[in-house]
Every structure is written in structure tokens, then in C-alpha cells.
Amino acid sequence: MTSANLYELLAAGFPADRTKPCFLMSDGAAISYGALEAGAAQVAGRLIALGVEPGDRVALQAEKSAAAVMVYLGVLKAAAVFLPLNAAYTGPEIDYFKADAEPRIFITDPPAFVAEANGAQPLDLAVPRAAADLAAIIYTSGTTGRSKGAMLSHGALAANAISLHATWGFSADDVLLHALPIFHVHGLFVALHCAFLSGAPMVWLPKFADAEVLSGLAKATVMMGVPTFYTRLLANPGFTREAAAHMRLFISGSAPLLPSTFAEFEDRTGQRILERYGMSEAVIITSNPLDGDRIAGSVGYPLPGVELRVGGGEETGVIEIRGPSVFSGYWRNPEKTREEFTDDGFFVTGDVGHRDPDGRVWISGRAKDLIISGGYNVYPREVELVLDELAGVVESAVIGVPHPDFGEGVVAVVIGAAEEAALIAAARAQLAAYKAPKQVVFVDELPRNAMGKVQKALLRERYAALFATPR
Ligand code: AMP
């Protein structure tokens, strides 16, 4: 049996000339593919010397660095299971992950670990793996309840990497601007795997910073970002058509891209952002086309091999998926796994949406964000899309909070300068009355997590008493 170790697939994409750069650093220095490969071999050798066996978890909680990527690849090569953790997690949060995943090794200083691994006997050949063997556990950002560990196999990650590499037309001529964190599937799997399979260099930025991104765009051809990257670029007058002229592709995901951002971006640069949809449990599920029309507000078509349907027999409902990149279940949580898969093997994503006659997928929100007001279902995204188009509104987040008459009342939390009454009236003109906000709250900023997702649970908490006392 040939091995399905993901490391072998990724390394097969490395350039034949290993002196070629993999990481282009802001100070002009570069780290070659040869150095990455050597680092991964040393790390794998060191892990094995430390007694790590196939299937053992190796956790990494650290700031982004090239050394952290060496650790990731070394873990794969040694057939251990990679467990990345957000550097921002606090002690009690880490205690939970440690107790749940029981990592054999916990790395917090990748450069030091790689330096220490220098003395180890490098592992030349990846430890063989079957496609179904686990490659990584990704704890879902879970804004409510306890985080669950999504188990991703070597085969699932390989299938998604191959699919994205082709779908987005990656080649050795590309240079990927990488400003995402690498504790999350977006920066870790989606971005890195596309670069590796192409043997392409990456403009390697520790985080999104305007000046570095702007100078990086002059060297890069593709950028992957969360929507906030794009709004931040647009807020910078230095981001012009010329500044984007070297780029062939801007990709957005992890949170909904506002149609207004899409439009403003096209006005400014002449380029249409390609929006895609994914999640920790399946990496990427749908994408707008590289060559066909990219439509604002839609997340595009299911990737080849992905079956996608709307559950519940209604036109709009919870999206269910089945396909080669879908995860193998939640770590040590068979009940939760059973709950979230249908009898015929579809994963119930929890995202609410519909498909148009063309087959394009549109996401209208999360099932748990669904508002039930006076017995009627209100999908927040539908209301947000209307509000976001109104004069004076920069962005909105629509939530439901307890209401004495309706059970839940629709509330719009809005960034912008507008009149509450005018917004409500304009929403009523376009939506059924029960969907229109009963109240609008103006704020300077919406709370977001590291991936740019608006933290609705936090908003619901903050405004829980809004209707408790009449105004
Ligand atoms: P995570 O597991 O942290 O990557 O979060 C996955 C969730 O992010 C999905 O279930 C969606 O709710 C949301 N998401 C990702 N991409 C998009 C997108 N393009 N549009 C809307 N929601 C998205």
C-alpha cells in the first residue's frame, strides 16, 4: 500500500530547485523550500526521539513564524496529529484543550524547538499513513458552548488541497500574500497547502498591517483574507488600482463579505473579490468561479466532489454537505458527531442558506442565530443585507433579544450615521414587517473574533434587556 501521508503530497509540490524561496520576509530575507524541508525533517526526528508515536497529539500554541510551519510539517511527517491553538487562549482555556486532547508534546516556542531539533537525527521518509488516519484536530472557534475538536484526516486535507489548487488556478508563478493566523484552517490549510502544491513563495507577514500588506501586494499575485482585510485596505487611500495591479486574485472567506465591500473593491481596483465558504469541519466547501462570474453575496458553487443540499424540505434551510474533505467526527465526542450527521452521511453545517436556480449557494446566517419573532422565522443575514445598502449604514449586525410580546425582538446593531426611524422605515419598505428591526442601536465597532466573525452571542448578551423596559 502506498502511503497517504499528507506531508508527501505537499513535499511533492515543492520546487525541484530547493534553493527557491518559500517565505519572503518583510526585511528582505528569505527562507528557502530546502530550509523548510530540512526543518520539518529535524522536527520529525526530534519528535520521534522524544517518544512520539503515530496518532499522538502534538499541540502548538505560539505566534506565527516560519518555524511554526516547520513544526506543522514535522508533525505530519512523524505521523503525529497536529493540534494548533490560538495564541490568545488563556490558561483555563488551554487547560480544557490539554485535558480533552491529551497532547503528548506541547510546543510554545517553535524557533527554540526547531533549534533544539537541529541536533536530532532527521527523518528522511515520512511515516506511512492511510488516508483515514488523523492529521489534525481543529478546535472550532465555538462562540457558544464548549469547543469541539474536529478531526481531519490526511485524506480529507489532501483532497481539499488538490481541489483548491486546481479551482483557483495556482501555479509556480504565483506568490501568495499570507497575513492570516496559522492556528485556523484558513491560514493553515487553505493558504499553506495552495502555496506548497505550487512550490510558490509566500510574502510572509506575522499579521495584517497596512504598510506591509501594501508593499507585499507589489510582489504577490494572490491574497487570501478575511473580509476585514478588505475593508481595511479600502480605508487606506494608498490602496489604489496601481497598488493592486500586480495581483491576479483576491480571495475572501471565514465570514460574509459585504456586497458593498465587493462593489467598492471593484470600483477601486477593477478586480472582483472571489468569495468562498468553508469551516473547520470541511475546510473549503464552495467557491465562486475563477473564470466565470463572481457574484457579490453568493459563496459560489460546491467544489467538485462536494454534494450540498438544503435540509428540511424548504427553499431556505440548514445546509448539509457530504464529500471527500468532510471531517471524521468530533474528537472523543461520538454523541455530538451522531447529532451533526444525517443517517445518509451528510454533515449538518448549522449554516442557513439556499441555492438559486443556477446552483449558486447563498448563506443567510447560522441556525443558532435564527430569530423567532412572533412565531415567524427571521434570518438575520437577509435583514443585514437590506440595511447595509441603506444610506448612512457602514455595516449592521442583526440579532434577536427577549421581547415581552414577540418572544424575540429584532434588533439591528449598526455602524454608521443615520436616523433610527428612517432605517426602520426603509427596512419595512423592502421586508415583511416582522423582519424589520424594532430597534436600532448605533455603535462605533462590532465585536469580532480573530477570524473577523461578528460575535453575535456577545451582542445578544449586551442587549438582552433592551425590550425589558419600555423606552
Ligand atoms: P470556522 O470553523 O471557524 O472556520 O467557522 C466556519 C463558519 O464561518 C461557517 O460555518 C460559516 O458560518 C462562516 N463562514 C465561513 N465563510 C463564510 C462566507 N464566505 N460567508 C458566510 N459565512 C462564512
Side-chain angles (χ1 to χ4, degrees), residues 373 376-379 382-383 398 410 427 431-438:
S373 188
Y376 291 109
N377 287 1
V378 182
Y379 295 109
E382 188 188 357
V383 186
V398 167
V410 178
L431 296 165
Y434 68 88
K435 294 181 187 172
K438 300 208 165 8

Side-chain angles (χ1 to χ4, degrees), residues 293-333:
D293 204 7
R294 303 173 197 161
I295 297 193
S298 165
V299 293
Y301 302 98
L303 293 180
V306 173
E307 296 170 81
L308 184 148
R309 70 187 186 195
V310 173
E314 303 281 323
E315 200 193 325
T316 296
V318 176
I319 291 173
E320 301 176 353
I321 54 167
R322 188 163 70 177
S325 73
V326 174
F327 74 134
S328 331
Y330 292 112
W331 173 255
R332 292 184 177 163
N333 203 338

Side-chain angles (χ1 to χ4, degrees), residues 235-253:
N236 189 324
F239 181 61
T240 58
R241 201 179 183 94
E242 295 70 51
H246 194 254
M247 298 288 292
R248 73 167 178 91
L249 186 60
F250 290 94
I251 304 176
S252 176

Side-chain angles (χ1 to χ4, degrees), residues 141 184 254-256 275-280 299 351 366 453:
S141 44
H184 182 271
S254 288
E275 185 174 11
R276 94 298 180 282
Y277 156 64
M279 59 199 313
S280 304
V299 293
D351 290 311
R366 298 279 305 161
K453 294 184 213 297

Side-chain angles (χ1 to χ4, degrees), residues 33-67:
Y33 265 99
L36 174 67
E37 186 175 44
Q42 305 281 171
V43 167
R46 176 74 184 141
L47 290 173
I48 288 169
L50 286 170
V52 169
E53 308 223 356
D56 281 352
R57 277 75 58 210
V58 175
L60 175 78
Q61 188 197 24
E63 296 302 332
K64 181 177 175 179
S65 66

Side-chain angles (χ1 to χ4, degrees), residues 168 186 190 251-254 274-278 284 286-288 299:
W168 294 337
H186 194 169
V190 182
I251 304 176
S252 176
S254 288
L274 181 152
E275 185 174 11
R276 94 298 180 282
Y277 156 64
I284 299 298
T286 73
S287 174
N288 269 278
V299 293

